[in-house]
Amino acid sequence: MALLKSNKVIFCLGNISPSLGVLSTRNSSWWGGVQMGPPDPILGVTEAFRRDTNPKKMNLGVGAYRDDQGKPFVLSCVRKAEALIAAKQLDKEYLPIGGLGDFTKACAQLALGADSEVLKSSRSITVQTISGTGSLRIGGNFLARFHAGPHDVYLPKPSWGNHTPIFRDAGMQLKAYRYYEPSTCGFDFKGALEDISKIPEKSVILLHACAHNPTGVDPRPEQWKEISQVVKERNLLPFFDMAYQGFASGDIDRDAWAVRHFIEQGHNIVLSQSFAKNMGLYGERVGGFTVVCSDAEEAKRVESQIKILIRPIYSNPPVNGARIASTILNTPELRSVWLQEVDSMAKRIISMREQLVAGLKKQGSSHNWQHVTDQIGMFCFTGLKPEQVERLIKEFSVYMTKDGRISMAGVTSGNVGYLAEAIHAVTK
Amino acid sequence: MSVFRDVQQAAPVAVFKLTQDFNNDPFPNKVNLGVGAYRTDEGKPWVLPVVKKVEKLIVHDDRLNHEYLPILGLPEFRSSASKIALGDDSPAIREDRVGAVQCLGGTGALKMGAEFLRRFYNGNNNTKTPIYVSAPTWENHNGVFNNAGFEDVRPYKYWDAEKRGLDLAGFLSDLESCPERSIFVLHACAHNPTGTDPTQEQWKKIAEVMMRRKLFPFFDSAYQGFASGNLEKDAWAVRYFVSKGFEMFCAQSFSKNFGLYNERVGNLTIVARDSDNLKRVLSQMEKIVRITWSNPPSQGARVVSLTLTSPDLFSEWKDNVKTMADRVLLMRAQLRAKLEVLGTPGTWNHITDQIGMFSFTGLNPKQVEYMIKEKHVYLMASGRINMCGLTSKNINYVAESIHEAVTKVAAGYC
């Protein structure tokens, strides 16, 4: 009542003074107390890039693949799959809550390997999700409701920026383990093992399966083996985030090695997969969430509960991208075209890394840039400091996030020379 | 020892279980009157001709790619979808105080709206704010709001089982007695599951009380165009509320009126006091979207926005919608006529009085069980039937089955 009365006073004042009028509409709105949300740091980079009129500008912010002309790339296997699908004249009936069966099956096989014992004994469940984000979110919700251990998710330091708010909103707490070593721009193996060995039993540890985002730094196989050991000793639940299978090394089996090794070692993992990057299906939102269980019966129970989680969020998933992915994975000719195309995307990135290092050497840089070629996947943690990043943006129109992360996908043979020039200029 | 050993088997979602049972039934004359999807007179799913046309355009357009949409969705989709709900000439749109979030179907739109309200409506912790849903309502309304953290989801009186119509007095009395600032989920048209909508006069009364008692309208619009066959008519209530100056949400689904069920095309339309408030609301919506699905799927939104923004395609779409609505109206008329000819006990005018995809037949759970087990006619335990499941071939069988259920199974009809 008091609020209503004060509204009337302010409204009258508003007729006298315009600024008070603004105040009045705020107070007479349900949303008067809603603050402006902070801008997304990564999207902010793209927005600033768009406004820049410098013809040499480069957008090394957001992680979407670009071809050597700097254009978005639609894979030919995707176009072919779309044509096949269109010819089938399929209906548009709701998918099951857990998604398209042909897709989820192929999705699991891709990650685990077709000959996986887990798949043979039907002791895992895979649901179709809204790409990687949706998968992590469902995973977080599932753990929050059903995980019998501490509700702590341990993230590598650093991790993808969206991991923290996703898990937090799902009801989990966030903690960290050492991962990136700034002095070497490489993997802090010793620190990681030390931290992991202290994690309380049954906590959840999140691991980037390959092409760590944002650093591009991955453990080597021998290192993964030791990590697996410690995780086993601590009895932790491994949650793998695999957003770049095939995209990292160009080889899907190689990129899934850590996931498969952990399973072979007896870990019953949970796994998020995204097909945004490796199939270029970004806007179609194609992903999967997998829980490896003790047996088929447990997998059925878990599946039933995951469906209960999905229904009040979006009922059932979108079909288009899943049909495309399923068609590709399940049609031998398309699958082999895909494997070639994902390999060529990965190889182009690798080549850009090599050219950047070569370019920096040519510029006469005295720094060690080996990490640029040691790192893998879409992103490179350059090691540049915030002031240097700022100079790159302001003086050279080279846009990246403040942490010095660049998306190699934004580098082309046409602009890699300019990039080397610019980086050299701010670091010499 | 598994961390998941104590996970219980969850009960299946009833409406999907019904379809599963139907699918497993070998009886040749079985009929599925369960899940709410349109069927042709051959009992088949129908991809709208305009949708087929537009999808072909999309597949052959080499300029299109699969890049991420913005977090809030495809801009042309959002604005054209909101226009469909509010009208091209909506003063609220002209005043730049209407915004939208593209979501995963109607469910996703409800979810986003619910998550926002829990965080920001009337202070920033609304877990205890009452959410009122009609008695009865779509079963997932409870799920969505509970899942979004609302602890107090309550029914408001709506369906009068005895007279088989709207319990307006009960509805109004709940509006008068509920806590101020409560949130009410209103079905824009073609109420699910009863098919019973307030008249325009009744909506005016509802709006008056809601304005006076500062109640928040959250419209669920899943059947625009599908109910009467006319887009404007089906949007009357939503537009009336806007004209009265309410701030409100409207969750729109394009699953039924575009037949795009599995593409998950939805839109949360937001009407705010002014553009400043709207801007802040949208900025916070972005945060919620980002941690749920990051950005929405592009295919369905492209189909809808291309259709709505091209005069020829728009006209074709309206025809397709009318085709669906007309078939439903025909089935309603025929079912009622047949029951009256059979002399089935009770009155059956509610079948033609009700509107949209569903009819609340008035069959009680025992009669429903009879229908399923003995007659292999599948319907919801509430007595809800999907009129789209009726065809010229099965309507006699269904009418006879209802007749049998009513005459053979005791405890009358509710």
Side-chain angles (χ1 to χ4, degrees):
Chain A
M1 233 16 217
L3 184 64
L4 187 63
K5 285 200 175 115
S6 65
N7 274 354
K8 286 195 172 136
V9 172
I10 290 168
F11 187 72
C12 293
L13 287 174
N15 288 331
I16 302 164
S17 164
S19 59
L20 287 173
V22 168
L23 184 61
S24 88
T25 58
R26 257 220 189 208
N27 280 353
S28 68
S29 166
W30 285 120
W31 320 124
V34 176
Q35 299 306 314
M36 192 70 186
D40 185 290
I42 295 169
L43 294 180
V45 170
T46 295
E47 269 156 37
F49 168 82
R50 286 219 180 95
R51 289 194 295 267
D52 192 329
T53 52
N54 183 346
K56 285 186 159 166
K57 64 181 181 178
M58 290 177 69
N59 186 0
L60 302 181
V62 78
Y65 181 80
R66 294 288 176 263
D67 63 16
D68 202 49
Q69 276 68 50
K71 296 266 176 296
F73 175 54
V74 178
L75 279 63
S76 75
C77 61
V78 167
R79 289 226 190 274
K80 291 194 171 79
E82 286 177 314
L84 283 176
I85 291 165
K88 282 194 189 147
Q89 302 274 289
L90 298 165
D91 67 37
K92 298 208 159 293
E93 294 299 286
Y94 288 122
L95 284 180
I97 299 176
L100 187 66
D102 285 344
F103 166 72
T104 54
K105 216 159 150 239
C107 177
Q109 272 179 8
L110 181 67
L112 273 42
D115 54 354
S116 165
E117 163 274 319
V118 166
L119 295 177
K120 292 206 174 88
S121 41
S122 301
R123 65 181 181 91
S124 66
I125 172 58
T126 300
V127 294
Q128 179 188 338
T129 57
I130 317 296
S131 206
T133 300
S135 177
L136 291 161
R137 184 53 197 253
I138 293 300
N141 286 352
F142 178 73
L143 293 173
R145 199 175 275 186
F146 295 106
H147 182 54
H151 282 195
D152 293 320
V153 177
Y154 283 76
L155 300 180
K157 221 186 309 195
S159 193
W160 181 44
N162 210 14
H163 277 146
T164 295
I166 290 173
F167 283 112
R168 180 172 296 141
D169 203 62
M172 303 294 281
Q173 268 90 257
L174 280 310
K175 297 214 159 71
Y177 57 93
R178 275 173 288 169
Y179 189 85
Y180 178 71
E181 174 51 72
S183 64
T184 60
C185 295
F187 183 35
D188 181 3
F189 183 44
K190 190 162 168 292
L193 285 183
E194 266 175 37
D195 284 355
I196 296 174
S197 65
K198 296 203 183 85
I199 296 179
E201 282 212 9
K202 296 205 184 145
S203 304
V204 180
I205 178 168
L206 186 123
L207 303 156
H208 295 226
C210 63
H212 181 271
N213 178 3
T215 69
V217 169
D218 286 349
R220 290 191 303 274
E222 321 85 76
Q223 294 171 324
W224 272 122
K225 285 178 177 167
E226 286 199 53
I227 295 168
S228 165
Q229 256 310 104
V230 180
V231 168
K232 200 188 277 192
E233 278 155 26
R234 298 304 302 150
N235 195 14
L236 307 178
L237 174 58
F239 192 141
F240 273 98
D241 184 355
M242 184 154 69
Y244 299 97
Q245 188 185 4
F247 199 92
S249 70
D251 181 322
I252 47 155
D253 296 310
R254 197 161 148 199
D255 288 349
W257 186 86
V259 168
R260 297 175 189 181
H261 175 74
F262 267 61
I263 290 176
E264 276 158 31
Q265 293 300 302
H267 298 278
N268 283 354
I269 67 167
V270 301
L271 166 69
S272 283
Q273 289 168 267
S274 165
F275 289 84
K277 283 85 174 173
N278 61 8
M279 283 194 180
L281 289 173
Y282 307 92
E284 302 292 341
R285 319 309 293 128
V286 195
F289 176 65
T290 296
V291 182
V292 177
C293 303
S294 312
D295 53 47
E297 189 269 335
E298 181 178 280
K300 284 258 157 280
R301 280 185 282 118
V302 166
E303 179 187 20
S304 71
Q305 294 293 349
I306 294 176
K307 287 181 185 174
I308 299 285
L309 286 169
I310 291 174
R311 172 82 166 147
I313 303 177
Y314 54 86
S315 276
N316 42 72
V319 75
N320 197 48
R323 270 188 183 150
I324 295 171
S326 164
T327 302
I328 290 171
L329 294 173
N330 291 315
T331 311
E333 316 89 74
L334 290 186
R335 192 186 174 105
S336 73
V337 171
W338 174 57
L339 292 175
Q340 284 167 35
E341 291 189 293
V342 80
D343 183 50
S344 64
M345 287 194 287
K347 294 285 161 37
R348 190 185 92 67
I349 301 278
I350 289 169
S351 157
M352 289 302 103
R353 289 179 180 278
E354 288 161 1
Q355 287 190 38
L356 179 57
V357 173
L360 286 161
K361 279 207 174 86
K362 208 160 139 224
Q363 291 286 325
S365 177
S366 55
H367 296 285
N368 180 358
W369 294 102
Q370 191 179 334
H371 55 281
V372 172
T373 41
D374 284 347
Q375 290 166 8
I376 194 168
M378 197 174 284
F379 300 112
C380 170
F381 236 34
T382 54
L384 291 168
K385 302 191 196 23
E387 324 81 72
Q388 296 167 323
V389 170
E390 185 148 1
R391 282 191 63 198
L392 278 172
I393 296 175
K394 290 215 156 66
E395 295 173 34
F396 295 91
S397 297
V398 173
Y399 289 82
M400 63 184 69
T401 45
K402 273 206 284 275
D403 53 8
R405 182 192 88 163
I406 58 176
S407 169
M408 293 307 300
V411 182
T412 69
S413 48
N415 62 26
V416 66
Y418 177 70
L419 180 60
E421 239 182 80
I423 292 178
H424 178 60
V426 308
T427 56
K428 62 178 173 202
Chain B
M1 250 290 134
S2 165
V3 289
F4 303 127
R5 66 187 174 283
D6 293 329
V7 173
Q8 300 303 314
Q9 176 78 26
V13 176
V15 68
F16 300 133
K17 172 92 183 11
L18 192 73
T19 292
Q20 203 177 308
D21 291 343
F22 169 82
N23 289 335
N24 294 335
D25 187 335
F27 189 73
N29 291 337
K30 62 183 180 177
V31 184
N32 187 358
L33 302 179
V35 76
Y38 179 78
R39 292 284 176 270
T40 62
D41 197 53
E42 285 75 43
K44 296 257 178 299
W46 193 49
V47 179
L48 275 58
V50 73
V51 168
K52 279 192 185 154
K53 193 182 275 188
V54 175
E55 287 199 311
K56 227 183 237 161
L57 292 173
I58 291 172
V59 148
H60 289 120
D61 189 345
D62 280 335
R63 295 165 305 172
L64 292 175
N65 54 41
H66 293 285
E67 294 298 292
Y68 289 124
L69 287 180
I71 296 176
L72 295 179
L74 188 66
E76 314 86 85
F77 167 77
R78 294 159 57 208
S79 56
S80 60
S82 292
K83 282 209 177 103
I84 281 291
L86 303 187
D88 278 338
D89 53 355
S90 169
I93 294 179
R94 267 187 281 113
E95 288 157 21
D96 202 23
R97 54 192 187 86
V98 173
V101 182
Q102 179 192 336
C103 296
L104 283 272
T107 305
L110 287 162
K111 167 70 171 178
M112 277 304 134
E115 288 286 341
F116 181 86
L117 290 171
R118 195 206 77 234
R119 288 162 168 75
F120 296 109
Y121 174 72
N122 196 28
N124 54 20
N125 182 357
N126 287 273
T127 51
K128 308 245 185 286
T129 301
I131 303 282
Y132 280 84
V133 298
S134 63
T137 194
W138 180 48
E139 119 282 341
N140 206 18
H141 278 150
N142 283 274
V144 169
F145 285 93
N146 278 136
N147 191 261
F150 285 98
E151 295 167 5
D152 188 357
V153 181
R154 312 178 184 181
Y156 60 85
K157 296 190 200 64
Y158 192 83
W159 170 251
D160 183 332
E162 244 187 80
K163 67 172 224 249
R164 263 179 295 199
L166 178 69
D167 177 7
L168 181 68
F171 190 174
L172 291 173
S173 111
D174 281 345
L175 289 171
E176 293 284 4
S177 62
C178 69
E180 269 197 0
R181 298 182 161 81
S182 295
I183 295 166
F184 273 73
V185 178
L186 306 166
H187 298 229
C189 68
H191 182 270
N192 176 4
T194 68
T196 299
D197 291 342
T199 62
Q200 290 185 3
E201 287 316 303
Q202 293 171 330
W203 273 122
K204 286 178 179 171
K205 294 200 170 94
I206 293 163
E208 189 272 321
V209 183
M210 289 189 70
M211 180 59 84
R212 182 169 27 90
R213 304 210 63 247
K214 296 187 249 310
L215 306 175
F216 185 82
F218 194 150
F219 275 98
D220 183 352
S221 176
Y223 300 98
Q224 188 183 359
F226 200 99
S228 69
N230 180 299
L231 291 169
E232 283 72 37
K233 197 156 161 210
D234 290 349
W236 188 87
V238 172
R239 296 177 189 188
Y240 178 74
F241 271 65
V242 172
S243 75
K244 296 316 269 180
F246 280 93
E247 288 186 299
M248 52 195 255
F249 286 171
C250 180
Q252 300 168 262
S253 166
F254 292 90
S255 291
K256 282 84 174 173
N257 60 13
F258 260 88
L260 286 173
Y261 308 92
N262 65 12
E263 301 287 1
R264 315 312 293 126
V265 200
N267 194 48
L268 178 68
T269 288
I270 299 156
V271 183
R273 184 71 63 226
D274 53 46
S275 66
D276 180 64
N277 278 293
L278 177 69
K279 209 165 67 176
R280 284 178 283 105
V281 168
L282 289 176
S283 75
Q284 295 293 351
M285 286 281 185
E286 272 196 2
K287 303 270 149 290
I288 303 172
V289 169
R290 181 73 170 140
I291 55 177
T292 313
W293 55 61
S294 266
N295 43 75
S298 62
Q299 179 73 1
R302 275 179 175 160
V303 172
V304 172
S305 92
L306 282 170
T307 305
L308 295 182
T309 55
S310 143
D312 288 341
L313 295 172
F314 181 56
S315 178
E316 196 178 334
W317 173 57
K318 284 195 287 189
D319 280 342
N320 289 171
V321 172
K322 191 151 186 310
T323 298
M324 293 192 285
D326 284 349
R327 194 179 99 65
V328 169
L329 288 169
L330 180 64
M331 290 299 103
R332 285 186 179 281
Q334 290 187 358
L335 180 62
R336 172 184 170 178
K338 287 182 195 299
L339 289 169
E340 286 170 352
V341 160
L342 285 169
T344 309
T347 54
W348 298 100
N349 55 288
H350 57 282
I351 293 194
T352 46
D353 291 345
Q354 289 165 7
I355 194 168
M357 200 178 273
F358 302 114
S359 174
F360 236 33
T361 52
L363 293 173
N364 64 43
K366 283 211 160 59
Q367 293 165 334
V368 169
E369 201 180 332
Y370 180 88
M371 294 282 287
I372 297 175
K373 293 222 154 64
E374 304 301 321
K375 309 304 297 181
H376 307 270
V377 175
Y378 289 75
L379 65 159
M380 302 299 291
S382 60
R384 184 192 90 169
I385 60 173
N386 177 8
M387 298 306 302
C388 302
L390 291 174
T391 69
S392 47
K393 289 192 187 59
N394 67 25
I395 194 162
N396 286 327
Y397 179 68
V398 171
E400 283 153 19
S401 303
I402 293 176
H403 183 81
E404 265 186 53
V406 168
T407 50
K408 286 191 176 165
V409 180
Y413 27 85
C414 47

